[in-house]
């Protein structure tokens, strides 16, 4: 909820308890109201003539020259009077041991002390017009409301009921105390509920039930009475110069408005309304009604709108989109706190137009939008996903966040997109305007729901569609553009920052499996699940690859933006496939880069072993010697001449370049011996390695070990292990950055898709 709405709820509770006062006019179950400005700006007033309405304020009453609002400041309730003419707010009294409310049908405000002492002040002159203790009407006398310059108090009448006294300044400057006549002797708990300049409407309880009565202020006599249904002392009730109207309790989803014509020729209408209606008023020959508090609601309802219904036909007119509270003006107009989609929240005067049909004119604005609007966002023109860890929380500042929002992010070059639902109220947000969405740098994989791929560098658009939960106003639609930048990672052939797995089946077809870190967050820590890796269904990228007996990830050796692949055919010729960064065609046409490579039984590449920023290749020959091929960056001659860097490597049946596992000078290698023991060789940065360190056993269960790069985006290289003789079962070993224990316990690789008819005989 917006600050103003939170304040309103607190005010309603606090002031209702303090004053035990009810509203009149277009009444709502909120604190006391007072007379609306009879001379408030007309429907033709310019926007510049609209006074400010406090954003955190609530209407307490109004007069001809200004209006009274309540607002919290910390734990203190402040009352402020704002003039229409210049919008100047003023506190009638500083906060103290009293409450401040409005006197109906006037510019008078009332200070009610906790000791019961009353002060009435005319805000047009800033002069007190009455200072009195109610006890002059009886030792148990208490304040029950005010109309104009007259205070109403009740006191025991000695007959089991209450008498009502009118207190005002007498002609001699003293206090005049006039007893209201015509009330039943057993009338209890009378309260002033509505007023016109010359008449007050009281509600009270008798042995026969609840009733209402009008009192002529000039004579202090009851002029009209009527019965009220039910026991609700806050029953909405309204008074005009010609009618009295009230709401009966809802029955079966319907609530009846009873409208009685005043005067000798009394007639009564019963008008069926929706059961949620809790406020009503009278404007000329029209009944107005609404369900209050719609701005704060989270479920749509047509009853939030302030609606006018003719008392001479069944014609209705929508006047406002929502309302919170109201007051009756001396001329019969209503002053309503609420809003319209066109003008926003504030204060509106409802009065008959030239044709007699009520119209709502804004007379004060809070600056809050009734419809959902976009106030701003934090999405930069260029979003570097490497600097943000692959994630970025997009925040849209909305006029209010009680919305159901859809976010769409689209790569305009590739057409890949993501659509997701956002419910700001499901996330704790102290700022009621924030609508956050954490983008994990992903897009929908191949248009398939719930499968994700990394977002490539390039141009993007964002779009939001925010539907107000209360149904008030249109759906907000907004869009913008930004550019994503990110460096392709190791083993990344489609330039999306996430590793890919190349698989060859027994028919010689080559497939690419895109991986992506599990996109959801741990609900307890709000951190990613670093031990989970999703692997999407395969995409066919080529055929005829059965001519090769080795296919190895080589890293970026030819100067493109993404990783490359080397493949050795059965005659010993080595070929380079440069990466393209396109998922459906990730490898360019092959280039021959050497022959005689069948002397080697193992090849592995991708690590920078010499510290020059280029990926190198190492190979073991049949004699067990280890050879270094330093990367050059050339497409046609990507490797310099070989250099022997070790011997005795024939004991290993798998060597894998992993990148810099432990933070030393350069890339590292892991090697598995024939007993399944895994050893770590830390690179020194000159193409050689430190003595080996044993880092685990039982690794013989795996058919392939791939230095997959940073799969979980924690900044450290990881190891991918596929289970030997198991179709599509693999695990992720997260890097720790420690040479003593370089990998955490294995985490699950989630495979999507099952292809038992396509066994794989080679992974890279």
């Amino acid at each position: 909820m917006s600050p103003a709405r939170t304040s309103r709820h607190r005010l309603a509770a606090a002031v209702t308890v303090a004053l035990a006062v009810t509203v009149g006019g277009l009444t709502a179950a909120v604190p006391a109201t007072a007379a609306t400005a009879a001379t408030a700006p007309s429907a033709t007033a310019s926007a510049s003539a609209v006074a400010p309405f406090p954003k955190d304020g609530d209407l307490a009453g109004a007069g001809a020259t200004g209006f009274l609002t309540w607002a919290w400041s910390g734990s203190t309730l402040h009352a402020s009077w704002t003039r229409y003419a210049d919008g100047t707010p003023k506190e009638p009294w500083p906060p103290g041991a009293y409450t401040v409310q409005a006197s109906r049908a006037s510019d008078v405000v009332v200070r009610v002390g906790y000791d019961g002492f009353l002060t009435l002040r005319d805000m047009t002159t800033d002069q007190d017009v009455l200072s009195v203790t109610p006890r002059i009407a009886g030792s148990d006398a208490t304040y029950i409301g005010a109309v104009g310059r007259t205070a109403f108090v009740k006191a025991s009448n000695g007959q089991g009921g209450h008498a009502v006294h009118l207190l005002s300044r007498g002609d001699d400057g003293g206090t005049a105390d006039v007893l209201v006549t015509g009330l039943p002797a057993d009338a209890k708990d009378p309260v002033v509920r509505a007023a016109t300049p010359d008449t007050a409407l009281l509600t009270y309880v008798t042995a026969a039930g609840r009733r209402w009565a009008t009192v002529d202020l000039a004579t202090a006599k009851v002029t009209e009475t009527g019965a009220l249904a039910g026991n609700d002392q806050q029953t909405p009730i309204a008074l005009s110069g010609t009618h009295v109207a009230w709401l009966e309790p809802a029955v079966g989803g319907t609530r009846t408005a009873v409208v009685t014509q005043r005067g000798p020729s009394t007639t009564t209408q019963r008008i069926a309304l929706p059961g949620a209606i809790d406020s009503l008023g009278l404007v000329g020959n029209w009944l107005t009604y609404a369900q209050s508090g719609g701005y704060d609601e989270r479920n749509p309802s047509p009853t939030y709108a302030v609606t006018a219904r003719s008392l001479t036909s069944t014609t209705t007119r929508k006047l406002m989109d929502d309302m919170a509270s109201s007051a009756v003006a001396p001329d019969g107009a209503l002053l309503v706190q609420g809003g319209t989609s066109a003008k926003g929240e504030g204060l509106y005067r409802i009065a008959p137009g030239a044709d007699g049909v009520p119209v709502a004119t804004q007379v004060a604005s809070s600056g809050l939008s009734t419809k959902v609007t976009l106030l701003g966002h934090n999405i930069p023109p260029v979003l570097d996903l490497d600097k943000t860890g692959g994630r970025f929380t997009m925040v849209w500042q909305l006029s209010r966040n009680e919305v159901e929002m859809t976010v769409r992010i689209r790569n305009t070059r590739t057409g890949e997109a993501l659509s997701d639902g956002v419910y700001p109220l499901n996330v704790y947000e102290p700022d009621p305007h924030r609508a956050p969405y954490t983008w994990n740098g992903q897009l929908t994989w191949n248009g398939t729901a719930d499968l994700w791929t990394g977002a490539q560098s390039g141009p993007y658009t964002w779009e939001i569609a925010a539907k107000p939960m209360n149904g008030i106003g249109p759906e907000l639609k907004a869009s913008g553009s930004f550019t994503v930048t990110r460096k392709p990672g190791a083993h990344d052939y489609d330039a999306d920052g996430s590793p890919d797995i190349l698989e060859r089946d027994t028919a010689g077809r080559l497939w690419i499996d895109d991986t992506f870190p599990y996109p959801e967050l741990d609900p307890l820590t709000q951190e990613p699940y670093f031990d989970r890796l999703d692997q999407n269904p395969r995409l066919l990228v080529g055929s005829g690859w059965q001519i090769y007996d080795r296919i190895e990830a080589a890293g970026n050796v030819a100067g493109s933006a993404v990783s490359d692949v080397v493949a050795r055919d059965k005659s010993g010729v080595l070929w380079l496939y440069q990466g393209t960064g396109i998922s459906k065609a990730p490898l360019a046409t092959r280039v021959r880069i050497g022959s005689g490579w069948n002397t080697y039984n193992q090849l592995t590449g991708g690590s920078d072993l010499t510290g020059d920023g280029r990926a190198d290749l190492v190979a073991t020959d049949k004699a067990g010697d280890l050879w270094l091929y330093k990367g050059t960056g050339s497409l046609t001659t990507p490797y310099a001449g070989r250099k022997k860097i070790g011997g005795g490597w024939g004991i290993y049946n798998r060597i894998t370049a992993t990148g810099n596992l432990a933070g030393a000078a350069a890339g590292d290698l892991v090697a598995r011996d024939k007993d399944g023991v895994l050893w770590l060789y830390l690179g020194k940065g000159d193409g050689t390695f430190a003595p080996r360190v044993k880092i685990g056993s039982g690794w013989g269960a795996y058919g392939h070990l791939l230095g997959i790069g940073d799969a979980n985006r924690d900044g450290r290289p990881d190891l991918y292990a596929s289970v030997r003789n198991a179709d599509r079962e693999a695990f992720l070993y997260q890097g720790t950055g420690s040479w003593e224990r370089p990998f955490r316990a294995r985490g699950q690789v989630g495979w999507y898709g099952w292809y038992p008819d396509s066994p794989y005989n080679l992974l890279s």
Side-chain angles (χ1 to χ4, degrees):
M1 292 181 290
S2 70
R5 303 312 173 192
T6 303
S7 173
R8 175 169 297 122
H9 291 163
R10 295 173 61 196
L11 281 168
V15 181
T16 300
V17 171
L19 300 179
V21 177
T22 58
V23 298
L26 181 62
T27 52
V30 294
T33 62
T36 309
T39 59
S42 69
T44 60
S46 66
S48 62
V50 175
F53 191 90
K55 285 185 173 63
D56 59 350
D58 289 81
L59 177 65
T65 64
F67 57 89
L68 184 69
T69 55
W70 288 314
W72 289 101
S73 177
S75 60
T76 303
L77 183 63
H78 290 261
S80 181
W81 179 268
T82 301
R83 295 191 299 181
Y84 295 114
D86 56 13
T88 302
K90 179 181 181 180
E91 283 189 334
W93 297 278
Y98 46 77
T99 58
V100 178
Q101 63 169 294
S103 180
R104 301 174 189 273
S106 69
D107 289 275
V108 175
V109 295
V110 184
R111 182 176 65 181
V112 183
Y114 293 164
D115 58 0
F117 197 86
L118 303 175
T119 301
L120 276 64
R121 176 171 293 180
D122 189 333
M123 295 307 297
T124 62
T125 61
D126 284 335
Q127 298 295 315
D128 293 345
V129 295
L130 181 67
S131 294
V132 65
T133 173
R135 293 176 182 171
I136 67 170
S139 60
D140 64 343
T142 56
Y143 173 75
I144 61 171
V147 179
R149 297 185 172 204
T150 302
F152 283 64
V153 300
K154 67 177 182 181
S156 174
N157 62 7
Q159 303 179 58
H162 286 112
V164 175
H165 298 253
L166 307 186
L167 306 181
S168 61
R169 178 173 292 181
D171 294 337
D172 60 358
T175 300
D177 177 2
V178 181
L179 183 67
V180 172
T181 60
L183 288 174
D186 64 345
K188 294 181 179 179
D189 301 320
V191 177
V192 178
R193 296 292 308 281
T196 66
D198 56 9
T199 304
L201 185 144
L202 307 177
T203 61
Y204 53 92
V205 180
T206 68
R210 296 183 58 252
R211 297 187 63 81
W212 61 266
T214 56
V215 177
D216 184 286
L217 269 66
T219 64
K221 294 181 179 180
V222 170
T223 55
E224 299 152 313
T225 62
L228 297 171
N231 297 316
D232 183 7
Q233 296 186 17
Q234 304 299 320
T235 295
I237 192 166
L239 174 71
S240 72
T242 57
H243 293 84
V244 178
W246 65 92
L247 287 174
E248 293 186 343
V251 178
T254 300
R255 196 164 194 186
T256 300
V258 183
V259 184
T260 297
Q261 187 172 3
R262 298 177 62 190
S265 57
T266 299
T267 59
T268 298
Q269 298 184 56
R270 298 180 62 83
I271 301 171
L273 300 175
I277 296 299
D278 60 8
S279 58
L280 81 169
L282 293 164
V283 178
N285 285 322
W286 293 74
L287 177 74
T288 60
Y289 56 88
Q291 178 184 351
S292 62
Y295 189 96
D296 294 329
E297 290 295 333
R298 298 172 185 177
N299 294 295
S301 173
T303 58
Y304 300 148
V306 178
T307 303
R309 183 192 187 279
S310 173
L311 296 177
T312 59
S313 69
T314 58
T315 302
T316 60
R317 293 285 188 274
K318 178 182 174 181
L319 303 178
M320 296 173 60
D321 288 308
D322 74 276
M323 66 85 62
S325 59
S326 66
V328 181
D331 64 352
L334 298 177
L335 197 71
V336 179
Q337 180 183 0
T340 65
S341 292
K343 297 290 187 179
E345 295 294 295
L347 214 54
Y348 288 76
R349 185 173 188 265
I350 298 178
D355 58 358
V357 178
V359 294
T361 305
Q362 190 179 56
V363 297
S365 172
S366 67
L368 298 174
S369 177
T370 300
K371 64 183 179 181
V372 179
T373 59
L374 179 63
L375 306 178
H377 63 82
N378 73 333
I379 303 171
V382 177
L383 176 57
D384 188 333
L385 287 176
D386 293 324
K387 291 184 178 179
T388 63
R391 303 168 62 230
F392 180 73
T393 298
M394 299 177 170
V395 178
W396 291 270
Q397 291 287 129
L398 307 180
S399 56
R400 52 190 174 91
N401 66 0
E402 296 101 334
V403 297
E404 299 173 326
M405 191 166 83
T406 299
V407 172
R408 177 176 170 82
I409 300 169
R410 182 176 181 271
N411 184 319
T412 58
R413 179 174 58 84
T414 67
E416 292 177 314
L418 168 149
S419 293
D420 209 350
V422 177
Y423 300 87
L425 294 180
N426 290 348
V427 179
Y428 172 70
E429 282 291 344
D431 182 348
H433 300 292
R434 282 171 53 95
Y437 174 69
T438 298
W439 184 41
N440 292 310
Q442 86 273 30
L443 300 171
T444 302
W445 177 86
N446 209 32
T448 304
D450 298 326
L451 298 184
W452 309 109
T453 185
Q456 298 181 15
S457 296
Y460 282 76
T461 59
W462 60 262
E463 300 174 0
I464 60 169
K467 182 180 180 181
M469 297 177 69
N470 61 8
I472 296 176
E475 181 179 65
L476 165 67
K477 293 186 177 181
S479 62
S481 61
F482 63 104
T483 298
V484 166
T485 62
R486 71 186 327 164
K487 294 180 180 178
H491 244 270
D492 180 11
Y493 304 110
D494 55 8
D496 64 359
S498 296
D500 305 299
I501 307 299
L502 292 176
E503 304 166 326
R504 185 186 67 185
D505 64 24
T506 53
R509 293 172 296 184
L510 190 67
W511 306 82
I512 187 172
D513 281 15
D514 185 58
T515 72
F516 189 76
Y518 186 67
E520 302 299 328
L521 299 181
D522 186 315
L524 296 178
T525 66
Q526 287 300 300
E527 293 294 330
Y529 288 95
F530 287 127
D531 61 342
R532 296 186 60 174
L533 183 68
D534 286 350
Q535 187 161 330
N536 290 324
R538 63 188 185 177
L539 287 176
L540 181 65
V541 296
S543 59
W545 285 71
Q546 68 271 19
I547 66 173
Y548 301 116
D549 62 9
R550 301 292 299 186
I551 303 173
E552 295 294 334
N556 184 354
V557 297
S560 68
V562 294
S563 296
D564 307 320
V565 170
V566 294
R568 184 183 68 190
D569 65 24
K570 294 176 182 177
S571 65
V573 175
L574 194 66
W575 302 85
L576 173 66
Y577 286 87
Q578 190 175 25
T580 66
I582 303 171
S583 61
K584 295 182 180 180
L587 302 176
T589 303
R590 69 180 187 173
V591 176
R592 179 182 171 128
I593 59 173
S595 60
W597 284 75
N598 49 1
T599 188
Y600 301 116
N601 54 14
Q602 293 196 67
L603 304 173
T604 187
S607 284
D608 174 17
L609 305 176
T610 59
D612 62 359
R614 298 190 182 100
D616 306 310
L617 184 72
V618 293
T620 59
D621 62 21
K622 295 174 183 178
D625 292 329
L626 184 68
W627 300 88
L628 169 68
Y629 285 85
K630 185 176 179 180
T632 67
S634 168
L635 174 61
T636 55
T637 56
Y639 299 112
R642 71 178 188 171
K643 176 183 178 182
K644 184 177 177 179
I645 57 174
W649 285 71
I651 65 174
Y652 301 118
N653 59 22
R654 179 69 61 181
I655 61 171
T656 300
T658 60
N660 192 334
L661 279 177
D668 310 316
L669 294 180
V670 294
R672 183 185 65 191
D673 65 25
K674 296 172 184 177
D675 295 325
V677 176
L678 195 66
W679 302 85
L680 171 64
Y681 285 85
L682 292 175
K684 294 182 178 180
D686 59 359
T688 65
F689 302 95
R692 70 178 187 175
V693 176
K694 181 179 178 180
I695 57 173
S697 58
W699 287 76
Y702 298 118
H704 293 85
L705 300 176
L706 305 180
I708 196 173
D710 185 9
N712 61 1
R713 294 183 180 166
D714 65 353
R716 303 184 182 97
D718 306 310
L719 188 67
Y720 180 101
S722 64
V723 177
R724 189 189 305 273
N725 300 323
D727 192 12
R728 303 180 72 77
E729 184 177 6
F731 296 91
L732 179 70
Y733 286 85
Q734 303 173 73
T736 65
S738 165
W739 65 269
E740 296 176 300
R741 186 174 174 268
F743 300 115
R744 301 183 191 277
R746 71 183 187 180
Q748 186 68 45
V749 174
W751 292 76
Y752 293 91
W754 183 254
Y755 307 102
D757 59 333
S758 302
Y760 297 97
N761 58 19
L762 192 148
L763 267 67
S764 178

